[in-house]
Each structure stands twice: as C-alpha cells, then as structure tokens.
Amino acid sequence: MPLTFAFDVYGTLIDTAGITQSLNRLVGDQASLFSSRWRDKQLEYSFRRGLMRDYVDFSVCTRQALKYTSAQLELPISDAAAQTLLDEYRRLPAFPDVPTALEQLKSAGHRLYAFSNGLPDDLEALLDSAGIRHAFIDIISVHEIRTFKPDPAVYRHFLARSSATADNSCLVSSNPFDLLGGMAVSMRTAWIRRSSANHFDPWDRQPDLTLTSLTELQQAFNG
C-alpha cells in the first residue's frame, strides 16, 4: 500500500556538516566544533521560540545562532563572511544515499514530501541545488503556521496539507526530537541513525523503524 512520506530536510536529507569546508577557511581546526555548536544553538533557538510563541523564521534562528557561536567560541567572523556562510546554507549537499532512496520510493508509488522548519524559498533553493527537488510532490514548511517542530500542530498541519492520515504516513528523520513530535500525533516513524554516536531519547517511546541509511526504507516497506 502506498504511503505518504514526510522527509525532514536538515540533517536527514541534507548534510548540515557540509558547511565545515567553508568554516575551515575561517576558523581552521575549530571548524567541526563550530559547525556542531552552530547547529545545536539553531535548534535550541527554534525550540525556545516555539515554546514562547515568539516566532521568527528559521533563517533568523540560523543567523542568530551563528552570531552566538562566534562569540561563545571567541572566533570572530565578519559580517561579510557571515553572510557568505548563510548563503551557503542554501547550497548544502545531500547525503550520498539520498537520491537513490528517493527514486526507489517514488518508483514504488509512494508519495514524497519535504517537511521542514526552513522557509519555503530556502528549501526550494536547497533541494534544487542538491539535485533532489524533483522527487517531492511538494514542500511543507512550518512557516505556514508560524511555529516549529516538535510542536504537535506542525505534524497535524503536515497531515492536513498532504491529505494523509497518521496511519498511512511515515515521518523520516535523523532527529529524535522530530520523531517524538510525530509520535505525538500517532504518525509512523523511521529514524535514520546516521552515526553510532547518535542516541534516541529515553522517553519510553521508540520509532517504528531504526535504519542506518535511507536506502533501507524501500526494503523495510516493500520487502
């Protein structure tokens, strides 16, 4: 039976560590640490703003997190360099397993959507640059309802926009907080565990599937 797949974008389809090469030119051997801290703070800001009902779009969270990380690590980045990094955030690469996995699922008749905290225009540019925009029926962004994952309203919005039900949809994400949000509205879930260093939150709930690669999805749902 065909399913409706909700694919998280940042960290699931798109490798946010792809910014590290550019950071290398700015902060040298601190690039990996900087990239990780930046990503963590970006998500923290989205969580906090969601709880506070003080919405700004995800690009603002990204920019403010960059500024904070630069100050925290005492690694100054000029305004011009910061803008270059933010522009490059719209051109990050897809993980190597993504194109094949999406084509397999699409060929099998499943309905694929990109589902993200990002702005619609940013997501269009990002997925197009990564060469995978054509795989998706549409892009569904939290910007449409002005809150962030893992607010349950976001997942209900996805189901309404995609004309899907919780039992015939599957949220695919590398982010445990995202999957827990989907579980809150009874969506099926698949965790893409891209590193053995990643661990699922011990909340007495587990995803329906735990996979190490997106290419395992087709086999999991079609045998």
Side-chain angles (χ1 to χ4, degrees), residues 146-157:
R146 301 179 71 81
T147 186
F148 289 108
K149 297 178 177 183
D151 185 336
V154 169
Y155 305 91
R156 288 192 288 267
H157 175 67

Side-chain angles (χ1 to χ4, degrees), residues 183-194:
M183 290 178 204
V185 300
S186 301
M187 290 180 74
R188 298 165 72 173
T189 53
W191 181 33
I192 308 304
R193 190 184 186 193
R194 292 202 171 277

Side-chain angles (χ1 to χ4, degrees), residues 10-105:
Y10 296 100
T12 302
L13 301 176
I14 299 297
D15 186 1
T16 56
I19 202 74
T20 303
Q21 185 174 352
S22 298
L23 284 167
N24 273 327
R25 297 193 294 269
L26 296 171
V27 300
D29 60 7
Q30 297 294 300
S32 292
L33 174 62
F34 195 108
S35 177
S36 176
R37 292 278 180 90
W38 183 9
R39 172 66 170 162
D40 288 346
K41 186 58 67 170
Q42 174 199 53
L43 289 174
E44 180 191 330
Y45 284 172
S46 71
F47 298 155
R48 286 161 58 180
R49 286 189 176 276
L51 284 168
M52 294 166 64
R53 297 291 185 256
D54 184 21
Y55 180 81
V56 296
D57 71 62
F58 199 55
S59 68
V60 175
C61 295
T62 304
R63 183 171 64 250
Q64 291 176 342
L66 172 59
K67 185 174 183 179
Y68 179 92
T69 303
S70 174
Q72 183 192 45
L73 296 180
E74 298 181 348
L75 295 168
I77 292 178
S78 69
D79 289 345
Q83 188 57 54
T84 296
L85 288 172
L86 293 168
D87 290 342
E88 291 184 6
Y89 221 85
R90 291 162 55 97
R91 299 189 296 271
L92 293 170
F95 286 102
D97 59 338
V98 169
T100 297
L102 296 179
E103 289 303 323
Q104 287 176 341
L105 291 167

Side-chain angles (χ1 to χ4, degrees), residues 14 92 94 98-99 102-103 125-136:
I14 299 297
L92 293 170
V98 169
L102 296 179
E103 289 303 323
L126 180 63
L127 297 175
D128 185 61
S129 176
I132 57 174
R133 173 61 182 92
H134 66 281
F136 300 104

Side-chain angles (χ1 to χ4, degrees), residues 102-121:
L102 296 179
E103 289 303 323
Q104 287 176 341
L105 291 167
K106 188 175 180 181
S107 296
H110 298 295
R111 304 170 70 236
L112 312 186
Y113 289 83
F115 174 47
S116 177
N117 277 336
L119 279 171
D121 287 349

